Amino acid sequence: GSVQVTPQRQETMDFSVPTGNLGFVLMVPDDTRVTSVDFFDQLKTSFKNTFITDGRWQLFLAGVLRTLLIIVVSIIAGTLLGFGVYLLIYKGNKAATKITDFFMWLIRGMPGVVLLMILFYIVFATAKIEGMWVSAIAFTLVFAEGFLAMLRNAVNVINSGQTEAALALGYTQRKTFTKVILPQAIAIIVPSYKAEIVSLIKASAVVGYIAVQDLTKVSDIVRSLTFESFFPLIATAILYFVIAALLNLIVNLIWKRMDPRSRSQKRILKGAQIR
């Protein structure tokens, strides 16, 4: 099977007695004259081999959808998880804070691809969970850690006097946080939140390590089939740019509706009695 027998491989594998040793032969035509090929014809052929032949554009479409699913699930679940954990430690629970700090340190210091492989090959090795969902779990943890760190830093920036003033006016602790502190914290973290989304999109390109056919993996498959690099790589780069721009646009639209500064006078005075 063209497998070279080495002492290291013999320690872990049982080899039969070789039936023969064969070399490799390269055959070339006698006529070695170089014929000129039109550049645009090459591009046309490359484009056809990359996207048209055997319907390979469907591979790219499936890869984009898998990548989008992993990213969107990770963003939504990571945001909810990070916010839920923050609510647990917001009031200063020492045990919860120490556990949270430990896991944040663990996730922050570990490369995403290592976390991905630990979950797939160790934690969920015996579970019948597809690699795509293991990827979503891994990047949910990564995004939750980043969002939690952003939220903690943003709340710490806000002057504590606002909390004291709200409590003095009769607000409960919960309403003080949701009505006074949280809106200001969200305004602070929006730029960092969008940057975290871009980082997540780029980090998700490693899911091919656990046999998930995402956009990057599909690009590798097509390149191995066609021996063409230009269109598969350029198309992959463009699609990642489009995904990042689309998700940032959605975040901007959501924030535009939530931004207190964009409220109309009617919304501001809703429920108020003006005399």
Side-chain angles (χ1 to χ4, degrees), residues 87-164:
L87 293 180
L88 292 176
I89 64 175
Y90 176 64
K91 294 184 179 181
N93 188 312
K94 292 184 179 181
T97 301
K98 287 183 178 181
I99 294 173
T100 301
D101 289 340
F102 171 76
F103 279 102
M104 288 180 67
W105 168 80
L106 193 65
I107 295 173
R108 188 185 302 119
M110 187 184 306
V113 65
V114 176
L115 175 62
L116 187 66
M117 289 192 290
I118 287 175
L119 291 177
F120 186 73
Y121 292 112
I122 298 176
V123 177
F124 297 110
T126 58
K128 295 181 179 180
I129 301 179
E130 293 183 12
M132 185 173 64
W133 297 114
V134 175
S135 302
I137 293 172
F139 290 112
T140 292
L141 296 175
V142 172
F143 196 84
E145 184 276 326
F147 179 73
L148 178 57
M150 287 187 288
L151 190 57
R152 292 173 76 174
N153 293 333
V155 172
N156 290 335
V157 169
I158 300 171
N159 194 320
S160 60
Q162 297 191 40
T163 301
E164 296 172 0

Side-chain angles (χ1 to χ4, degrees), residues 32-205:
T32 57
R33 291 176 300 175
V34 178
T35 57
S36 61
V37 179
D38 185 75
F39 174 74
F40 292 102
D41 286 340
Q42 283 184 317
L43 283 182
K44 183 179 179 181
T45 302
S46 177
F47 182 87
K48 180 181 178 182
N49 291 338
T50 301
F51 300 108
I52 307 302
T53 303
D54 296 331
R56 287 171 186 151
W57 63 270
Q58 297 177 9
L59 291 176
F60 281 95
L61 178 60
V64 169
L65 293 177
R66 290 190 190 95
T67 299
L68 268 175
L69 181 61
I70 292 171
I71 292 170
V72 171
V73 169
S74 300
I75 291 172
I76 296 174
T79 301
L80 295 176
L81 178 61
F83 185 73
V85 172
Y86 182 77
L87 293 180
L88 292 176
I89 64 175
Y90 176 64
K91 294 184 179 181
N93 188 312
K94 292 184 179 181
T97 301
K98 287 183 178 181
I99 294 173
T100 301
D101 289 340
F102 171 76
F103 279 102
M104 288 180 67
W105 168 80
L106 193 65
I107 295 173
R108 188 185 302 119
M110 187 184 306
V113 65
V114 176
L115 175 62
L116 187 66
M117 289 192 290
I118 287 175
L119 291 177
F120 186 73
Y121 292 112
I122 298 176
V123 177
F124 297 110
T126 58
K128 295 181 179 180
I129 301 179
E130 293 183 12
M132 185 173 64
W133 297 114
V134 175
S135 302
I137 293 172
F139 290 112
T140 292
L141 296 175
V142 172
F143 196 84
E145 184 276 326
F147 179 73
L148 178 57
M150 287 187 288
L151 190 57
R152 292 173 76 174
N153 293 333
V155 172
N156 290 335
V157 169
I158 300 171
N159 194 320
S160 60
Q162 297 191 40
T163 301
E164 296 172 0
L167 294 174
L169 290 172
Y171 277 69
T172 63
Q173 191 77 30
R174 181 178 64 83
K175 281 192 174 182
T176 298
F177 176 72
T178 57
K179 299 292 186 180
V180 179
I181 305 301
L182 185 59
Q184 297 180 74
I186 292 176
I188 294 172
I189 69 174
V190 165
S192 300
Y193 189 81
K194 292 190 290 185
E196 191 72 18
I197 290 176
V198 174
S199 297
L200 177 66
I201 293 171
K202 292 188 289 186
S204 68

